[in-house]
């Protein structure tokens, strides 16, 4: 960002915080609303679903959703190739995809932040090693690394979750390192150190609360990427394995019935798309909110 | 160009490559006997023994490590257990098809992305700016497997204009290229826009305006070359995302490239092929990053002329 834009942004007096913070564009409101809906579904999927997501009924296979005249009572979104209720599966799949993405994002954030702090604190060799790992991960497409690991070790749920966590840790590490390095030089950090605080106290109690804003923004930007990674791998049949399901896995299954039952693929796909879109819109808005130079 | 700059970048590239190959070596040793993983199940014990000696599995680990490198350099990644051919040959047959898809995507994305980004920056906050930014957000959020499936539903099944999958004519390329290029074009447009906005607010652009330089002259002669530096970087960075995207897109459209070979090999745990592809991707990425660094140095006179970090 050039000096001119920063300078011109400054004289604009910041409005009272609580008041302006909630002045969101209508699109961001919609996005936030959808995210709340997804969060509710992810939390209460087992309560909301009308049938068990694994319950098959071979008499009612590939039944269409409510808008078709061929739809049957009780299955609002129709049924899949084994007669399983699509709505119930969609709810569980949303739960699985969101939980994986959320856990993955959090693991990555914690791992990256810790490594970033370590790199900034110790400098020299530790810094070199962390930054080397960061460069290395940034240089390889993560989907390829994930596929290779799944091939070498075989697929299991915990390995898959670990992969979700490893995706994107390097962005937090780089960000935290930079933020901590500059925060360390500021008056309050120097003062706390001079008062004899131990390093962990300095970082956890003083520096982290001051740099948490950009890290949260990074979280909202990473979350959609983790959803896309999980759904891509599951779509390819290499992620979440049946009988468990995820949005990507549903889409992958539904893809074989495009000609006759297109909704089997389109409905889970739309849920993925609208979720990542909402998260991106919300994250972008949050970023411009927290960082005036981005406006 | 500054020799020191080039050699540092080159060393870094070789170092990254070394890390990737070592990573594969370590993982393969962790997971068991390489002859069981890299050779078909039905090969006889003599062949297994031959490879054990060839890869030096009877020798100390450090020696194995060197031999592994030697083999990797000679392109020997083992044998596919699905059809008993050398892994490299099988991969190499698929490479041209993926390169074809990738090149077409690159060209399409640049042809759409750069002008869109430049226009969005010139007419900031106009409808074209909003359109470009919406397109960028759309491309970022849209999973390419879903976009691909929507395209198949619309153009192959409803309108019957394009073949839904396969390889051969230009018509087979339209949907895969569009699917892959959307996210990429959006990202390029977005970065071009912000790089241009940054440059357009600089004093020398105002000076050029005061001297009576026309709008197009200001934009293309004064501003764009300066905005090109960050754009080149982002193009280089996007390659990784595109390789990942190609794996998915090739699967959606049954495009017979490296990506489809990779996913089927992962499903069958045909490790010889998987490790060959991983090393190949690493070489591609490292080379691309090195070229980006060179282009960066060439576009930025401060690096080209070797005056170090001295700026203005």
């Amino acid at each position: 960002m050039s000096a001119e834009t920063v300078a011109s942004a400054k004289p604009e007096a910041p409005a009272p915080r609580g008041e302006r913070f909630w002045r969101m564009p209508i699109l961001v409101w919609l996005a936030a609303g959808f995210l709340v809906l997804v969060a509710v579904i992810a939390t209460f999927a087992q309560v909301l679903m009308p049938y068990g997501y694994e319950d098959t009924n071979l008499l009612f296979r590939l039944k269409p959703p409510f808008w078709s005249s061929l739809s049957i009572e009780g299955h609002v979104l129709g049924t899949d190739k084994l007669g399983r209720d699509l709505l119930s599966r969609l709810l569980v799949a949303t739960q699985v995809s969101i939980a994986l993405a959320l856990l993955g994002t959090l693991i990555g954030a914690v791992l990256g932040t810790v490594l970033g702090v370590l790199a900034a604190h110790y400098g020299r060799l530790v810094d070199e090693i962390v930054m080397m790992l960061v460069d290395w991960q940034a240089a390889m497409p993560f989907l390829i690394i994930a596929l290779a690991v799944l091939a070498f070790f075989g697929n299991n749920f915990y390995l898959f979750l670990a992969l979700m966590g490893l995706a994107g840790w390097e962005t937090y590490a780089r960000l935290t390192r930079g933020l901590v390095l500059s925060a360390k030089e500021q008056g309050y950090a120097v003062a706390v150190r001079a008062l004899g605080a131990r390093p962990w106290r300095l970082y956890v109690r003083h520096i982290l609360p001051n740099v948490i804003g950009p890290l949260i923004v990074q979280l909202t930007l990473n979350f959609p990427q983790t959803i896309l990674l999980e759904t891509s791998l599951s779509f390819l049949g290499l992620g979440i394995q049946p009988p468990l399901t995820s949005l990507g896995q549903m889409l992958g299954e539904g893809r074989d019935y495009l000609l006759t039952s297109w909704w089997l693929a389109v409905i889970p796909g739309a849920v993925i798309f609208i979720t990542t879109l909402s998260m991106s819109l919300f994250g972008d808005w949050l970023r411009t909110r927290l960082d005036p130079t981005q406006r | 160009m500054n020799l020191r700059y080039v050699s540092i970048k080159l060393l870094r590239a070789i170092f990254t490559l070394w890390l990737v190959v070592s990573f594969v070596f370590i993982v393969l040793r962790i997971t068991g006997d390489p002859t069981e993983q890299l050779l078909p199940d039905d090969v006889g014990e003599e062949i297994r023994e031959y490879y054990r000696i060839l890869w030096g599995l009877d020798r100390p680990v450090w020696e194995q490590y060197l031999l592994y490198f030697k083999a990797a350099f000679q392109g020997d990644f083992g044998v596919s257990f699905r059809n008993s051919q050398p892994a490299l040959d099988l991969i190499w047959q698929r490479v041209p098809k993926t390169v074809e898809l990738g090149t077409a995507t690159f060209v399409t994305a640049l042809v759409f992305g750069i002008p869109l980004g430049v226009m969005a920056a010139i007419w900031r906050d106009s409808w074209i700016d909003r359109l470009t930014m919406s397109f960028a957000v759309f491309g970022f959020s849209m999973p390419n497997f879903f976009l691909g499936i929507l395209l198949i539903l619309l153009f192959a099944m409803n309108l019957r204009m394009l073949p839904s999958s396969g390889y051969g004519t230009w018509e087979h390329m339209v949907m895969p290229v569009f699917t892959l290029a959307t996210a990429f074009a959006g990202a390029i447009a977005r970065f071009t826009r912000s790089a241009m906005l940054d440059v357009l607010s600089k004093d020398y652009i105002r000076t050029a305006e005061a001297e009576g330089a026309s709008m197009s002259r200001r934009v293309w002669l004064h501003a764009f070359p300066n905005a090109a530096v960050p754009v080149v970087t982002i193009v280089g960075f996007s390659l990784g995302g595109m390789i990942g995207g190609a794996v998915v897109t090739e699967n959606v459209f049954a495009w017979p490239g490296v990506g489809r070979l990779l996913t089927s090999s992962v499903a069958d745990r045909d490790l010889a092929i998987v490790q060959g592809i991983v090393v190949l991707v690493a070489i591609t990425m490292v080379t691309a990053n090195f070229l980006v660094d060179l282009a960066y140095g060439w576009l930025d006179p401060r690096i080209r002329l070797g005056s170090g970090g001295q700026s203005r």
Side-chain angles (χ1 to χ4, degrees), chain B residues 4 6 22 45-46 61 65 99 117 135 176 189 248 251 264:
Chain B
R4 196 179 124 79
V6 175
S22 305
E45 194 50 40
E46 306 121 65
V61 175
Y65 185 60
V99 169
F135 176 66
V248 176
N251 269 283
S264 65

Side-chain angles (χ1 to χ4, degrees), chain A residues 279-293:
Chain A
M279 204 70 204
S280 301
L281 287 173
F282 189 72
D284 270 352
W285 175 80
L286 199 64
R287 179 170 51 171
T288 48
R289 243 353 287 154
L290 292 173
D291 179 7
T293 59

Side-chain angles (χ1 to χ4, degrees), chain A residues 27-81:
Chain A
L27 206 57
V28 179
W29 270 112
L30 286 175
F34 186 79
L35 290 174
V36 169
L37 178 70
V38 166
V40 169
I41 288 175
T43 318
F44 298 109
Q46 275 68 15
V47 182
L48 294 169
M49 63 189 196
Y51 299 90
Y53 76 100
E54 289 172 89
D55 295 353
T56 58
N57 186 346
L58 294 177
L59 291 175
F60 297 115
R61 295 169 55 215
L62 297 172
K63 291 293 173 198
F66 63 90
W67 59 74
S68 161
S69 55
L70 295 171
S71 68
I72 49 172
E73 193 83 15
H75 294 285
V76 179
L77 292 181
T79 57
D80 73 355
K81 61 178 176 182

